[in-house]
Amino acid sequence: MLLFKVMYAKIIETKSGFSRLQHDWTRLQTIDPDVSYYSTFEFLHTWWQTFKKHKTLFIICVYHNNAVVGIMPLYFETRRHIGLFSCKECKFLASGLSDFFSVLIDKSINADNKIFNCMMSTIEKHHLKWDRLLLIQMDSQTAFSRYLLKHQTYAPLFSFHLENPYLNLSEYENFSAYCKKHVSKNMNWRINKLQRDEPFNFNVSTNNQSPLLDEIKQLHLATCRYRNKHLPSMAKKYISVFSNKTMNCFFNALYSNNCRVLNFTIRHQKTDELMAYNSCYIYNSTVYMWNTSYNVTYDSYHLGKIINYKIIEHCFDNDHVSVFDFGAGKYPWKFEWTDTFKPMYKLEKWTCVSLKNKLLPMLNKTKTFISTL
């Protein structure tokens, strides 16, 4: 007798429901190769605990024979557009803070498309709860992206968003081979000059208690203040991620006793002053860079280049690292260190059930066009 295998969706809308998902979420993130650190339970649950105000949780859980085989972490938020209209948006959890977004599925049941269909049909069934579906920064090589690219309805709405540079260490025989292609010949001279003038130590730390995090915050804030002071009057100002009180609460919670946080620092040998840092996450042999800065007092020494060089050298020396991810964004300095990048895509859909929703897409396109002039 053949058993009918049922697939259905449940929606999680409460804090307690989110917490109860931890076991199933952890199981899926362990077996799904498309999952980055930014889609893990610990990252998104911490984000929700911190940023839930004025937001509505909307986590879609797909079940197959009463087991969770898919999780799509979403939320609703009302935002104002062009200063004229309010708009209810449906987005991935941690939008605006993460470099990668993805869904989690159990690929072992060989039903990827059925799971994705169940997720998307659930979103569509609740179309009265949102005006705009905006799912950004999705790696084009994931199973979910391939599903969207082939879908008759969603493919026209699924478009290139930005670049995400990364370094695959396996493409090089060793660090020396990498340096021949990507590192300037005067790098050792720069390092030796800094060591002579301002003796330093390069450190790698997973001890992420408050003293180091506080130092990182203060250095980043000071650098932004300095940059803004010397910008032309009409230039866009630098805003430190640590200038926001709620953001600080998030990082305090995430960093506490978290072995997945990896901090690279350059400190002065004599004073122990923090000269430069690069704060990262490590997950499934990938190091994800998310924030970096250096003391502008040492601007002439090119500390940014030196710390990147030391980090990549460290990665080559450690077998547990296979990829160094530079984070989202087409910044020229990132491409000094690698030639490879992931095309990141976004899915944008408007419900268009009202005059407002018919106008908003046109207004947003106009705003985007004007910003490029």
Side-chain angles (χ1 to χ4, degrees), residues 13-24:
E13 299 177 290
T14 65
K15 172 185 172 183
S16 59
F18 194 168
S19 297
R20 286 194 296 270
L21 274 177
Q22 182 171 5
H23 175 76
D24 287 314

Side-chain angles (χ1 to χ4, degrees), residues 37-38 42-43 46 204-209 212-213 216 242 250-264 277-283 286-291:
Y37 180 67
Y38 298 106
E42 68 184 46
F43 187 89
T46 304
V204 183
S205 171
T206 55
N207 180 12
N208 301 296
Q209 299 303 313
L212 177 56
L213 182 56
I216 286 173
F242 300 116
F250 168 73
F251 289 115
N252 287 340
L254 185 68
Y255 271 46
S256 180
N257 297 312
N258 189 345
C259 63
R260 300 194 195 280
V261 175
L262 193 61
N263 287 315
F264 301 94
Y277 74 87
N278 196 322
S279 196
C280 306
Y281 308 118
I282 183 165
Y283 183 74
T286 296
V287 175
Y288 298 93
M289 185 185 78
W290 81 268
N291 186 263

